[in-house]
Amino acid sequence: MIEYVKRTWAVVDLDRLDHNLREVQNYVGNDCMVMGVVKADAYGHGDQYISTELEQLGVNWFGVSGIEEAQNLRRWGIEKPILIFGATPLDYSFMLWEYQITQTVHTYSYAWELEQEAAKQGKTIRVHIKLDTGMSRLGFLVAGSHRQQSLEEIEKIANFPHLQVEGLYTHFACADEDDADSVEYTWQQFRQYEQTRDALKAKGIEFALHHCCNSAATLHYPQMHLDMVRTGIVLYGLAPSPERKRELALQSAMELYSRITMVKEIDSQTSVSYGRIFQANQTMRVATVGIGYADGYERMLSNRGRMLVHGQEAPVIGRVCMDQLMLDVTHIPQAQEGDLVTVIGRDGDCVVDFDELAEQTGSINYEKVCLIGKRVPRVYRKGGEEIGVVAMGKGKSMEPRRLILSEEE
Ligand SMILES: *Cc1c(COP(=O)(O)O)cnc(C)c1O
């Protein structure tokens, strides 16, 4: 029995991760590699278990946002190549060769400085060159008047002796949207990418790896897969956008649970929680639950969210507090202290998912999973069994026995 405090906890099902990866691999075919994007602690799912599992399942590359995330992956024993999407500060560039990490190069001056650092130490740094074809985030601008200069700079970088230029890539701005304008824009970005690739080829500069698809583009633009797709959100079983869902049979990997800490009956006219934005208009049964905005259940869901208790939906009433909130369980007479509350997941015939939370908070499912608080233990399930947990205070030096209570059942 794995021990962790069952106040609020997330369950991450690794079989579903496995299923989603296979869906992607089958969809892109054998000629296309899959990068597992595990930035931001694997979109809140926990990068240790997720990256280890993905590597075992045959993912070809990993994508992260920065050097610390890359270093963590190596610590977890990841051996596959890792690409950093962001910039690594020059002070930390030694870690690139030390941990064998591939760095994105987005400007000439950054490439030149990396080259100097590597030259000083007699090392080589592997890099992918990022083109900005319409996202206006990172990369070499390649449209119109910028094109000539960027081509010249990339040519110089390709000849730097201490940079091993291995890949060329870009990133789409609206591959998740299906209106005609967005589709045209995505094609325009792709054509810019191809033109740049061809112009560089004409100068004798070729890249071993070309990639431009995130999850949405992977699903909706199979013509653009090239050598590799960079998939994040679909691996976690979430759709990149609400309007386009059906291409893959995805299984959401994360569930979120909490427990009822108290049930009380309140009289009509009694108010509930901070600010008194909810007032009972009849005698009600109210359940207090040990989850709040510090766990990632946003305050915006006050008087708005719903959770599942005994297979029925229970509305959130009053303001969401930092660590607690209240549910209306008037219609669920069996609800009592200690009962399980399904925050995200299925209970009987009822389901609450991250897309619903996203809609209620005017956001996207990506943000919802990233917001699950760091104090929420991540419990890993495989073959129906709990196989591990990552929790605050679970480190060796923290004497977990004294901090982690076992469940009394
Ligand atoms: C985050 C990210 C991805 C993955 O995006 P998803 O929509 O989650 O698949 C791919 N490429 C880059 C450069 C990214 O920053």
Side-chain angles (χ1 to χ4, degrees):
M1 183 71 208
I2 291 168
E3 293 181 2
Y4 54 94
V5 180
K6 288 194 166 171
R7 174 189 161 272
T8 287
W9 68 100
V11 176
V12 178
D13 193 303
L14 297 174
D15 295 325
R16 296 191 198 148
L17 183 76
D18 182 352
H19 166 88
N20 297 329
L21 175 63
R22 274 180 222 295
E23 284 283 300
V24 171
Q25 285 170 328
N26 288 337
Y27 188 71
V28 302
N30 288 333
D31 297 333
C32 180
M33 294 196 287
V34 175
M35 173 186 282
V37 179
V38 294
K39 63 194 183 196
D41 202 21
Y43 293 40
H45 293 64
D47 62 9
Q48 180 178 3
Y49 277 83
I50 296 289
S51 57
T52 306
E53 186 72 13
L54 287 176
E55 181 157 273
Q56 278 168 14
L57 296 171
V59 122
N60 306 93
W61 273 76
F62 286 93
V64 296
S65 67
I67 188 69
E68 290 148 299
E69 292 179 351
Q71 183 188 24
N72 274 337
L73 259 55
R74 290 290 183 239
R75 279 192 187 137
W76 311 140
I78 295 302
E79 293 178 352
K80 292 275 168 63
I82 301 170
L83 175 65
I84 294 179
F85 298 143
T88 300
L90 292 173
D91 298 354
Y92 296 87
S93 54
F94 70 94
M95 288 168 75
L96 296 171
W97 57 79
E98 208 146 278
Y99 293 101
Q100 294 290 303
I101 310 289
T102 307
Q103 175 60 49
T104 293
V105 158
H106 55 285
T107 63
Y108 179 76
S109 59
Y110 182 64
W112 189 82
E113 284 171 334
L114 272 188
E115 165 65 19
Q116 302 307 304
E117 290 295 322
K120 259 191 263 170
Q121 305 295 327
K123 303 287 183 185
T124 306
I125 299 174
R126 269 183 255 173
V127 302
H128 287 203
I129 291 182
K130 177 78 180 285
L131 303 181
D132 179 359
T133 56
M135 178 77 179
S136 301
R137 197 166 67 176
L138 287 179
F140 292 84
L141 284 163
V142 288
S145 60
H146 304 283
R147 184 181 155 82
Q148 205 45 46
Q149 189 186 344
S150 289
L151 288 176
E152 282 165 20
E153 289 177 348
I154 293 168
E155 187 178 10
K156 281 191 223 160
I157 294 167
N159 290 317
F160 283 165
H162 300 88
L163 297 188
Q164 187 186 327
V165 180
E166 187 184 27
L168 185 71
Y169 78 104
T170 192
H171 192 57
F172 294 129
C174 53
D176 56 326
E177 284 165 67
D178 60 1
D179 59 288
D181 224 34
S182 301
V183 173
E184 175 47 32
Y185 194 80
T186 305
W187 275 106
Q188 194 179 305
Q189 283 196 264
F190 187 64
R191 281 193 293 269
Q192 258 189 45
Y193 180 86
E194 287 188 309
Q195 282 161 9
T196 310
R197 175 194 64 191
D198 295 345
L200 288 165
K201 193 174 175 183
K203 289 169 175 278
I205 300 156
E206 294 195 57
F207 301 86
L209 272 175
H210 292 272
H211 48 101
C212 59
C213 287
N214 57 3
S215 290
T218 301
L219 297 189
H220 307 302
Y221 299 89
Q223 311 90 323
M224 304 182 188
H225 288 170
L226 306 179
D227 299 312
M228 176 161 74
V229 293
R230 303 186 305 267
T231 46
I233 200 79
V234 289
L235 296 182
Y236 308 105
L238 302 174
S241 70
E243 63 259 32
R244 303 179 121 188
K245 259 183 186 167
R246 255 159 291 153
E247 281 77 1
L248 297 184
L250 300 174
Q251 298 178 354
S252 178
M254 199 196 305
E255 297 155 13
L256 189 61
Y257 296 102
S258 191
R259 283 203 190 276
I260 294 178
T261 40
M262 180 175 185
V263 176
K264 64 174 61 113
E265 206 168 89
I266 60 170
D267 298 330
S268 183
Q269 305 309 312
T270 307
S271 65
V272 174
S273 194
Y274 291 124
R276 307 181 59 217
I277 63 169
F278 183 90
Q279 202 164 35
N281 57 8
Q282 54 168 26
T283 305
M284 288 180 76
R285 290 184 82 234
V286 174
T288 304
V289 184
I291 182 171
Y293 58 77
D295 302 293
Y297 199 82
E298 288 158 277
R299 192 165 174 274
M300 199 186 277
L301 291 160
S302 300
N303 266 353
R304 200 183 282 186
R306 59 179 190 123
M307 296 183 179
L308 307 177
V309 177
H310 290 286
Q312 294 185 68
E313 72 182 59
V316 173
I317 53 173
R319 287 251 161 84
V320 174
C321 312
M322 189 183 290
D323 316 311
Q324 307 184 71
L325 53 77
M326 273 63 84
L327 297 178
D328 176 5
V329 293
T330 308
H331 55 296
I332 313 174
Q334 68 273 45
Q336 57 173 334
E337 184 182 322
D339 283 356
L340 185 73
V341 177
T342 302
V343 181
I344 297 288
R346 169 181 288 279
D347 184 358
D349 294 331
C350 292
V351 176
V352 180
D353 59 21
F354 285 108
D355 290 330
E356 177 177 322
L357 286 199
E359 202 186 309
Q360 286 172 329
T361 54
S363 182
I364 53 174
N365 52 21
Y366 291 76
E367 191 185 39
K368 300 301 104 175
V369 280
C370 288
L371 282 179
I372 302 293
K374 59 183 180 297
R375 76 177 175 194
V376 176
R378 269 66 166 176
V379 182
Y380 296 90
R381 186 170 62 203
K382 200 173 172 177
E385 305 263 328
E386 290 183 5
I387 59 154
V389 58
V390 174
M392 264 171 98
K394 255 287 201 183
K396 274 191 198 110
S397 60
M398 299 289 282
E399 294 181 63
R401 289 265 149 200
R402 261 198 268 154
L403 290 169
I404 308 290
L405 312 169
S406 65
E407 194 195 358
E408 287 167 10
E409 272 181 2

